[in-house]
Amino acid sequence: MGRRFVSQLAYLVIREGSKWSDVFRLVPGQSVTVGRSPTCQIVIKDERCSRNHFEVFLSSGQWTLRDLESRNGTMVGNEMVHGDWPLKPGDVIRIGHTQLVFVYKLSEAFNNSGDGSASRRAASTTERESIDEDDANVLSGGEPTTITHRRGHTKFLAPDKEGAEAESGISEMGRAAARLCRLAFELAKASDLVAMADLALAGLAEGTQIDAGGLLLLPANFQGEPNGKSLELIASRTSSAHRYVRVSDFLASTVMREGEAVLARNVMGDSTLGARDSRGEILATGVICAPIRRGNQVIGVLHLYSTDGSTSPSPDDLEFTLAVADTVAVAVENLRRRQELADNLRRVRTENVELRERLGIRSDIVGRSEAIHRVTEEIARAAATNATVLIRGESGVGKELVARAVHYNSPRRDNVFVCLNCAALSAELLASELFGHERGAFTGATERKIGKFEAAHKGTLMLDEIGEMSQGIQAKFLRVLEGHPFERVGGSKPVKVDVRVIAATNRDLERDVAEGRFRRDLFFRLRVLEIVVPALRKRQEDIPLLADFFLDKFNAETGRKIKGFTPAAKEQLLKYLWPGNVRELKNVVERAVVLCRDQEIDVGDLLLTKLATAGDTEMSAPAAAGKFAPISLEDMERRHIFDTLNHTGWNKSKTAAILGIERSTLDRKIHRYGLDENQPSSA
């Protein structure tokens, strides 16, 4: 047969006390650790053995033992191991009462052993590991053990000629058991009730003297007293010229009520048992009807009959049918459970999809940068309170998304979220939208209108672009924030509401307060909690993630199958400063998906502008306008450092390298000039 292993292959044969207990194969390239720890490849249950006692490995063609600073040391023969010990065939390694013999051939370990259990264990190991034939043949006392047969599958489950040959030479009961085993195996693989019923009837036709039959079941959620009329025919089979005739209601009801199988022969004169054809003639000469039971409950019947007068079902056929019926009951239960699980899974998936669609825009903040992580933490802290929140950030960064996340993670999540853009309305219309109006309050007010405050009762009201609110409305708005009732425009009845307010702005409110455009008291009332949403250029690591997110979204909406972005397009997305932030990125990707002609979006598909970012606009307006404004070197340095920080996404190491100064110097200048990455509109 020849050797199947390389020359370095070896074995450790383990002896515990007076018995050989196991054989472990040593494979070149794999270090084997021996010890008490369950993580060792060879676990020795000996109190004198350390958790990691020693290891064996192949080095330069030589199997070597290395003691791992064990508590009691390692003995090879009668010598204590120090450092690395080269192993020779026949070496006995001792740990307490345990011995391990190192050999190249198993025959070298077992020649002097009369322990039969070791022989059996070694034989098992040789079969499992496919060791060399000589080693497999030399076991206890020199008696050869040979592997006589190998098979991948049992022939008793084979439905072909080989399965029939397996039944020859055994008793009728043995053949029936083999057929039942094969049938049970097939039923377990059935994909649905009809396929299962067809298999069961085919197996019964093979194993009994019948030529027609049907499998009938009660509906899955049947309630009430079971009877023959309630049964549904799942499948039928016939080998005669006549089609299958359904079981009589009397016979089915009797079997289901009593829970016992029935064999009836010579039924030609009994209309309650025999099967009738279309002309009313009784066809059956013998009938079997067996209950399909789930515990004590009958869920259906197997109905079989013979139309050949020369043959008739026997008591053995009844036994076989009853066994098949019990097996079918298990298969039915498994199929119905599987169907129930599949239905539940589909329902849960549908609910999840609907929930994601309903909540996706409210809480789906995409990003994994440190800046977004900080925003997420601030949202969690703000959501747990009922305090007013001021959200700040450039236009397009996703302030409304943050506001929705605060609301839908707060105790008010089950109530409404109302959003109003203060910059989109004039002062008069804004007052009407916020507080409502009475009929006839002004021209066009033909009926009473409920304002956003009343509409958001018990919920959350988000006021976007709060900095655009006029001074007159600011005063009334402040009173409502402080808990006072308000009156609708043109009305006199006080209205009191319970509303949480979230305000958002891209303006520098501190400067507006200083210049008198925004009320100081309202500013402090709004800024109880503050969340600053960073500009997209300050979290560049989120750009590829957001681009892929929008690509998947618009692929699904348009039916396109664009695979992604070319490397050049990805580089362009990262280099661009995104003055319109996430909103601009979304629009750029949407346009690219619609107009892209290839499978990947390339640079030519990206429509990018040359507009300055908000920081550039605020800090470099004179230069951008092409005008000269004399300023001090200190102001010039301040602006240049700010612009460079914005360009690098506030990467201070990169900024210091561009400016040619030390990082510590840059930190001092940032502190000196009061620069803050969270104040993008002003430095």
Side-chain angles (χ1 to χ4, degrees):
M1 185 174 181
R3 296 182 180 273
R4 296 183 181 177
F5 56 82
V6 296
S7 59
Q8 293 91 347
L9 194 65
Y11 306 92
L12 282 178
V13 185
I14 305 171
R15 185 182 184 97
E16 295 179 350
S18 61
K19 294 183 178 181
W20 296 104
S21 64
D22 210 343
V23 177
F24 196 89
R25 187 182 188 190
L26 302 177
V27 180
Q30 297 181 6
S31 176
V32 176
T33 308
V34 180
R36 250 183 329 106
S37 171
T39 59
C40 294
Q41 285 87 345
I42 301 179
V43 179
I44 304 296
K45 298 179 180 179
D46 192 309
E47 61 182 8
R48 298 188 181 184
C49 181
S50 299
R51 291 183 59 81
N52 294 284
H53 203 95
F54 69 84
E55 63 177 341
V56 177
F57 55 91
L58 185 67
S59 177
S60 302
Q62 170 66 55
W63 285 102
T64 303
L65 181 148
R66 175 180 294 164
D67 185 80
L68 299 176
E69 300 181 359
S70 59
R71 183 177 67 254
N72 296 312
T74 305
M75 300 284 292
V76 176
N78 295 320
E79 298 187 43
M80 184 69 71
V81 172
H82 297 287
D84 292 351
W85 183 281
L87 293 172
K88 302 184 297 297
D91 276 353
V92 179
I93 306 167
R94 305 178 192 277
I95 304 175
H97 299 293
T98 304
Q99 299 178 12
L100 299 91
V101 180
F102 173 80
V103 294
Y104 286 133
K105 293 170 61 69
L106 289 177
S107 56
E108 298 169 353
F110 293 107
N111 275 339
N112 298 323
S113 172
D115 185 2
S117 65
S119 303
R120 289 190 297 273
R121 195 62 177 267
S124 172
T125 304
T126 57
E127 292 177 24
R128 183 173 63 250
E129 301 290 354
S130 300
I131 307 175
D132 145 3
E133 183 181 16
D134 295 338
D135 289 340
N137 289 337
V138 182
L139 297 169
S140 175
E143 296 180 7
T145 298
T146 58
I147 300 172
T148 57
H149 291 84
R150 292 180 183 271
R151 287 191 65 87
H153 304 281
T154 174
K155 62 185 178 182
F156 289 108
L157 295 180
D160 52 10
K161 181 180 178 182
E162 188 178 9
E165 292 175 353
E167 298 177 8
S168 62
I170 60 177
S171 66
E172 181 62 32
M173 182 171 291
R175 286 195 292 272
R179 287 195 293 271
L180 183 62
C181 177
R182 190 160 59 243
L183 180 58
F185 182 75
E186 294 298 325
L187 291 178
K189 297 190 297 181
S191 58
D192 54 53
L193 286 176
V194 175
M196 181 274 302
D198 287 335
L199 287 171
L201 294 173
L204 287 165
E206 177 188 356
T208 60
Q209 300 183 71
I210 58 100
D211 49 28
L215 190 152
L216 302 93
L217 294 175
L218 290 172
N221 299 317
F222 179 79
Q223 300 290 332
E225 187 67 25
N227 55 64
K229 295 181 180 179
S230 306
L231 292 170
E232 297 178 354
L233 180 64
I234 304 302
S236 63
R237 177 187 179 92
T238 179
S239 58
S240 67
H242 301 279
R243 63 178 180 82
Y244 165 75
V245 180
R246 182 185 171 102
V247 62
S248 67
D249 292 342
F250 171 78
L251 179 57
S253 299
T254 301
V255 169
M256 296 177 72
R257 182 178 63 253
E258 298 179 359
E260 294 182 347
V262 171
L263 166 62
R265 289 184 285 189
N266 302 319
V267 297
M268 293 294 293
D270 191 338
S271 61
T272 61
L273 300 178
R276 293 175 178 269
D277 63 10
S278 59
R279 293 174 296 179
E281 296 181 3
I282 298 177
L283 304 174
T285 59
V287 175
I288 293 177
C289 190
I292 300 172
R293 294 169 292 204
R294 182 176 60 189
N296 296 326
Q297 180 184 5
V298 179
I299 61 173
V301 296
L302 270 173
H303 174 229
L304 311 172
Y305 61 86
S306 173
T307 60
D308 187 352
S310 62
T311 61
S312 184
S314 66
D316 286 341
D317 293 336
L318 178 65
E319 293 285 349
F320 186 74
T321 303
L322 196 56
V324 172
D326 289 340
T327 306
V328 165
V330 176
V332 169
E333 180 71 9
N334 290 339
L335 282 170
R336 285 181 171 173
R337 286 183 179 177
R338 190 188 309 168
Q339 184 62 42
E340 183 180 353
L341 288 172
D343 292 342
N344 289 339
L345 182 59
R346 279 194 295 270
R347 185 173 65 253
V348 169
R349 283 176 175 170
T350 301
E351 290 174 354
N352 284 344
V353 169
E354 292 175 353
L355 192 60
R356 287 194 187 102
E357 289 176 352
R358 193 163 65 247
L359 298 180
I361 192 173
R362 303 171 182 175
S363 58
D364 194 1
I365 298 176
V366 179
R368 57 189 174 201
S369 63
E370 183 62 30
I372 284 297
H373 181 67
R374 287 197 301 269
V375 170
T376 304
E377 290 179 344
E378 291 169 358
I379 289 172
R381 288 194 290 268
T385 72
N386 198 38
T388 305
V389 181
L390 177 62
I391 302 174
R392 310 180 75 164
E394 296 177 10
S395 178
V397 294
K399 296 187 289 296
E400 183 177 343
L401 198 66
V402 173
R404 289 183 180 272
V406 171
H407 171 73
Y408 286 103
N409 286 281
S410 73
R412 296 175 178 263
R413 67 177 68 90
D414 295 328
N415 296 307
V416 295
F417 176 87
V418 179
C419 183
L420 177 64
N421 190 323
C422 299
L425 302 170
S426 64
E428 294 77 12
L429 289 177
L430 180 58
S432 174
E433 285 293 323
L434 279 175
F435 308 113
H437 62 254
E438 297 290 348
R439 180 180 179 181
F442 51 84
T443 303
T446 57
E447 58 184 16
R448 174 190 288 180
K449 178 180 179 180
I450 300 299
K452 299 298 184 184
F453 266 109
E454 288 182 80
H457 182 57
K458 297 293 185 181
T460 302
L461 173 62
M462 178 194 175
L463 296 177
D464 200 4
E465 306 298 348
I466 191 70
E468 307 297 332
M469 185 180 288
S470 67
Q471 291 269 354
I473 299 178
Q474 288 179 28
K476 189 173 182 180
F477 178 51
L478 176 61
R479 284 186 55 80
V480 178
L481 280 182
E482 292 176 343
H484 297 284
F486 63 89
E487 297 172 353
R488 300 188 189 97
V489 177
S492 58
K493 182 179 178 181
V495 179
K496 188 174 178 62
V497 293
D498 175 16
V499 174
R500 179 182 191 174
V501 173
I502 298 178
T505 184
N506 62 359
R507 295 177 62 93
D508 183 357
L509 291 184
E510 288 90 342
R511 185 170 61 187
D512 288 348
V513 169
E515 295 176 358
R517 290 195 297 269
F518 199 84
R519 291 179 64 99
R520 179 183 297 270
D521 47 3
L522 178 58
F523 171 74
F524 290 117
R525 185 64 184 85
L526 289 173
R527 200 188 180 195
V528 177
L529 296 175
E530 184 178 69
I531 299 176
V532 179
V533 186
L536 185 56
R537 63 182 176 275
K538 296 181 180 178
R539 50 185 183 107
Q540 285 188 318
E541 57 266 49
D542 290 337
I543 293 175
L545 195 65
L546 284 162
D548 290 337
F549 173 79
F550 290 131
L551 176 61
D552 293 340
K553 172 183 172 65
F554 294 121
N555 267 339
E557 289 182 3
T558 62
R560 301 293 302 275
K561 296 182 180 179
I562 298 173
K563 296 181 179 179
F565 299 86
T566 64
K570 291 179 180 178
E571 183 180 358
Q572 185 66 27
L573 291 175
L574 290 171
K575 287 170 56 179
Y576 186 59
L577 292 182
W578 299 106
N581 291 294
V582 180
R583 182 186 294 122
E584 182 185 7
L585 175 59
K586 176 183 176 182
N587 295 335
V588 166
V589 174
E590 182 177 14
R591 176 188 180 278
V593 169
V594 173
L595 300 182
C596 179
R597 297 183 178 181
D598 299 319
Q599 292 186 338
E600 288 187 317
I601 294 174
D602 203 357
V603 174
D605 300 315
L606 303 175
L607 181 62
L608 304 177
T609 72
K610 296 183 180 180
L611 293 175
T613 65
D616 295 335
T617 302
E618 294 290 337
M619 297 298 296
S620 308
K627 300 177 182 179
F628 172 76
I631 57 174
S632 66
L633 288 175
E634 181 174 307
D635 287 340
M636 180 64 74
E637 182 182 57
R638 174 176 176 271
R639 293 184 177 183
H640 184 62
I641 291 175
F642 182 82
D643 290 343
T644 308
L645 284 166
N646 277 337
H647 175 74
T648 62
W650 278 76
N651 184 320
K652 295 181 181 179
S653 298
K654 189 181 294 186
T655 300
I658 293 174
L659 296 175
I661 59 177
E662 294 294 329
R663 168 68 183 269
S664 58
T665 303
L666 176 62
D667 287 333
R668 287 196 300 271
K669 289 182 180 293
I670 291 174
H671 179 72
R672 174 185 174 187
Y673 295 136
L675 302 179
D676 185 359
E677 64 172 314
N678 292 327
Q679 299 291 332
S681 61
S682 176

